[in-house]
DNA sequence: TCTGGGGTCCTAGGACCC
DNA sequence: TCTGGGGTCCTAGGACCC
């Protein structure tokens, strides 16, 4: 059996660890620029605040019900996430887990043939709460997809299950799938949900009644795997962490930017962050993409969006070399006369730092840069983010964050903050 | 006025090879 | 008039996830 440990409304729960008075009150956490709702407490969900709701549209509701709003504090969430992972994984053999996202991890319970896994998971749940004050739900089932279903059941019926539910017998599975809406199946997004309903598939169970050819045609290979997983036939394994295949740094700006030099400074900074993250995993990239765009919601202003990619003659992770490319691409796509709202840099096509294929004809300076770069990284690690940086960076952010509470300042001071270390899907 | 950010995988079609 | 067959690799776009 697998178990899925999932933190309940994780970012809000983290806020509550700093301020216990937030317990039982409606609380939301907002994205950068305080733009969208990205985490909601149960009380906030009950008020009808949807996920990803633009904050400005709900101002009245927030005020009326005294909803507590917080800017995102990702240092805190990463820290708490690490703690939850450490506690959970101490209960299984070493490679038998997969960190799925910042607030979820799968455990492989294969080594526990003789103990009561339900009780065991109750213990895990309780220890996470006792030590970190983070409430979690645990769904146990033979496949990952069914773990997701079990987890949903736990959250839906809190008074019945005390945070843990096992979905094991075929009777329970059938009952669960006849209850579960098709759009709530892991892997069915908005588009597919509509397509399913058009074809008379409303519950997860209905999908199992469709012929495989139909599933293959509508959903591709994903669908076939999904059906098997729902039947209890394992298709998805617990995976060891793998290096990233692409890195992106993108931001919306608090205010629209109209000066070329301001936008340039931003994309150069994003390029630097990409380079730092490449060095952190000891890889070089062979491709760099830069994009800029105006505010897509402002129909009264002229719209412009453009991206451009360059393939590098020699793989690199030097901030200087990547910065140079970013600058060239920026020059090629930037157009005067627009109000820019968002920009970003992507890097991909990675090779390990020590396995670079060098072009015969292009000069390669990566190795001259590397010692300087590593020294820079070491100093920033010691003294703080962006303390040492390239001259092209202002070192300032253009996105807003509410004033930090004294509790949070104290938290930042007292903890060595871990690096984010998550796979995204 | 105000609308996030960072990932993965699959597929279809085109270019190219022998 | 007649115009093969099979394979790989790359890319863009679409779908999904948290």
């Amino acid at each position: 059996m697998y178990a899925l440990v999932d933190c309940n409304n994780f970012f809000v729960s983290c806020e509550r660890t700093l301020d216990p008075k937030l317990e039982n009150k409606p609380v939301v956490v907002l994205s950068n620029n305080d733009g969208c709702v990205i985490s909601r407490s149960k009380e906030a969900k009950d008020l009808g605040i949807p996920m990803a709701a633009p904050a400005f549209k709900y101002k009245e509701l927030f005020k009326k019900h005294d909803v507590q709003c917080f800017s995102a504090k990702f240092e805190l969430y990463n820290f708490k996430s690490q703690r939850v992972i450490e506690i959970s994984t101490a209960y299984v053999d070493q490679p038998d887990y997969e960190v799925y996202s910042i607030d979820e991890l799968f455990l492989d319970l294969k080594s526990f043939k003789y103990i009561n896994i339900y009780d065991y998971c109750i213990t895990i749940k309780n220890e996470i709460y006792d030590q970190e004050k983070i409430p979690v739900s645990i769904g146990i089932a033979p496949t990952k997809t069914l773990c997701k279903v079990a987890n949903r059941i736990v959250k839906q019926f809190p008074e019945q299950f005390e945070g843990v539910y096992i979905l094991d017998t075929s009777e329970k599975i059938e009952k669960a799938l006849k209850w579960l809406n098709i759009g709530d199946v892991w892997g069915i997004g908005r588009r597919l949900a509509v397509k399913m309903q058009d074809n008379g598939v409303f519950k997860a169970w209905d999908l199992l009644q469709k012929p495989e050819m139909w599933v293959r045609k509508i959903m591709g290979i994903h669908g076939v795997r999904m059906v098997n997983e729902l039947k209890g036939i394992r298709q998805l394994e617990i995976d060891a962490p793998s290096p990233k295949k692409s890195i992106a740094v993108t931001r919306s700006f608090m205010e629209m930017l109209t000066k070329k030099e301001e936008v340039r400074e931003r994309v150069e900074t994003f390029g630097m962050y990409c380079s730092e993250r490449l060095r952190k995993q000891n890889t070089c990239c062979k491709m760099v993409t830069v994009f800029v765009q105006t505010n897509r919601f402002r129909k009264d202003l002229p719209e412009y969006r453009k991206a451009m990619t360059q393939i590098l003659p020699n793989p690199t992770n030097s901030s200087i070399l990547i910065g140079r490319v970013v600058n060239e691409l920026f020059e090629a796509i930037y157009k005067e006369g627009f109000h820019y709202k968002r920009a970003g840099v992507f890097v991909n096509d990675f090779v390990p730092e020590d396995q670079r294929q060098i072009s015969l004809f292009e000069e390669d300076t990566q190795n001259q840069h590397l010692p300087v770069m590593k020294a820079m990284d070491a100093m920033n690690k010691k003294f703080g983010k962006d303390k040492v940086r390239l001259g092209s960076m202002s070192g300032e952010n253009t996105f807003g964050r509410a004033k930090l509470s004294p509790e949070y300042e104290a938290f930042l001071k007292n903890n060595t903050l871990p690096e984010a270390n998550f796979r995204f899907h």
Side-chain angles (χ1 to χ4, degrees), chain A residues 8 32 37 86 96 116 169 181 226 261 335 342 396:
Chain A
N8 301 346
N32 276 342
V37 173
E86 279 161 28
D96 292 351
N116 182 324
T169 66
N181 288 328
M226 178 186 299
E261 291 316 306
K335 273 209 240 169
R342 217 163 85 86
E396 281 163 25

Side-chain angles (χ1 to χ4, degrees), chain A residues 127-407:
Chain A
E127 193 187 337
I128 295 170
Y129 191 77
D130 292 344
Q131 293 212 18
E132 296 300 328
K133 296 287 175 281
I134 298 288
V136 302
S137 303
I138 304 184
I140 308 164
T143 68
K144 283 181 162 181
T145 309
L146 286 174
C147 282
K148 283 280 189 181
V149 178
N151 222 292
R152 183 170 284 272
I153 292 172
V154 177
K155 293 202 167 100
Q156 204 84 18
F157 308 101
E159 62 291 337
Q160 284 183 51
F161 297 115
E162 292 180 65
V164 179
Y165 182 65
I166 303 196
L167 192 53
D168 46 1
T169 66
S170 49
E171 292 77 32
K172 279 181 169 176
I173 293 175
E174 181 172 338
K175 198 174 160 198
L177 297 185
K178 284 180 172 167
W179 162 81
L180 185 68
N181 288 328
I182 189 69
D184 292 334
V185 175
W186 190 37
I188 303 275
R190 268 218 319 274
R191 295 290 172 86
L192 276 175
V194 171
K195 227 186 254 183
M196 289 291 131
Q197 284 155 10
D198 286 347
N199 285 278
V201 176
F202 299 101
K203 299 289 178 182
W205 184 255
D206 300 337
L207 183 59
L208 302 199
Q209 314 313 315
K210 288 283 182 184
E212 181 172 329
M213 285 304 292
W214 183 88
V215 174
R216 183 71 179 80
K217 187 162 162 265
I218 300 285
M219 307 173 66
I221 192 69
H222 270 319
V224 180
R225 282 205 281 258
M226 178 186 299
V227 167
N228 280 325
E229 283 260 313
L230 288 172
K231 286 178 177 165
I233 304 163
R234 229 176 243 187
Q235 307 276 295
L236 306 170
E237 304 293 324
I238 298 267
D239 293 322
S242 51
K244 285 189 181 26
K245 295 178 176 168
S246 70
I247 290 173
V249 176
T250 72
R251 292 282 180 282
S252 294
F253 311 132
M254 189 145 61
E255 274 150 17
M256 291 185 284
L257 302 182
T258 51
K259 294 199 186 81
K260 185 173 183 181
E261 291 316 306
E262 288 177 341
V263 186
R264 185 203 309 278
E265 190 279 328
R266 288 290 79 202
V267 291
E268 290 211 356
T269 300
F270 301 158
M272 279 239 2
Y273 291 158
C274 285
S275 320
E276 279 175 7
R277 280 151 67 173
L278 281 171
R279 297 197 292 272
K280 212 163 280 168
Q281 57 169 29
N282 300 310
T283 53
C284 290
C285 71
K286 292 194 274 188
M287 232 196 247
V288 179
T289 303
V290 176
F291 77 84
V292 293
Q293 54 183 255
T294 53
N295 189 340
R296 67 185 202 280
F297 298 103
R298 289 289 295 267
K299 296 303 173 199
D300 55 323
L301 293 173
E303 206 171 337
Y304 176 65
R305 52 202 299 175
K306 181 89 179 162
M308 197 178 265
T309 302
Q310 188 168 319
I311 294 171
L312 308 180
N314 293 312
T316 187
N317 58 17
S318 154
S319 297
I320 296 170
L321 297 177
I322 288 176
R324 233 173 253 169
V325 175
V326 165
N327 218 342
E328 284 172 30
L329 290 168
F330 173 73
E331 284 291 342
I333 60 175
Y334 185 86
K335 273 209 240 169
E336 286 297 341
F338 292 98
H339 295 64
Y340 290 92
K341 177 65 178 174
R342 217 163 85 86
V345 174
F346 294 87
V347 291
N348 41 42
D349 208 349
F350 299 161
V351 290
E353 217 165 45
D354 52 6
Q355 290 171 33
R356 302 166 58 248
Q357 284 273 350
I358 306 308
S359 153
L360 258 182
F361 308 108
E362 297 285 332
E363 191 195 8
D364 179 49
T365 51
Q366 158 76 11
N367 288 335
Q368 297 157 36
H369 289 220
L370 200 54
V372 185
M373 292 296 136
K374 295 277 176 179
M376 213 163 81
D377 294 339
M379 279 154 73
N380 281 331
K381 191 169 178 189
K382 189 165 174 189
F383 298 113
K385 187 171 146 69
D386 296 343
K387 284 288 183 293
V388 184
R389 55 179 188 267
L390 297 189
S392 50
M393 286 174 65
S394 73
E396 281 163 25
N397 270 320
T398 45
F399 61 86
R401 219 186 192 195
K403 201 173 169 314
L404 302 177
S405 65
E407 293 89 357

Side-chain angles (χ1 to χ4, degrees), chain A residues 118-133:
Chain A
Y118 177 84
D119 293 344
Y120 200 63
C121 287
I122 290 277
T123 310
I124 299 176
K125 185 202 79 166
N126 288 342
E127 193 187 337
I128 295 170
Y129 191 77
D130 292 344
Q131 293 212 18
E132 296 300 328
K133 296 287 175 281

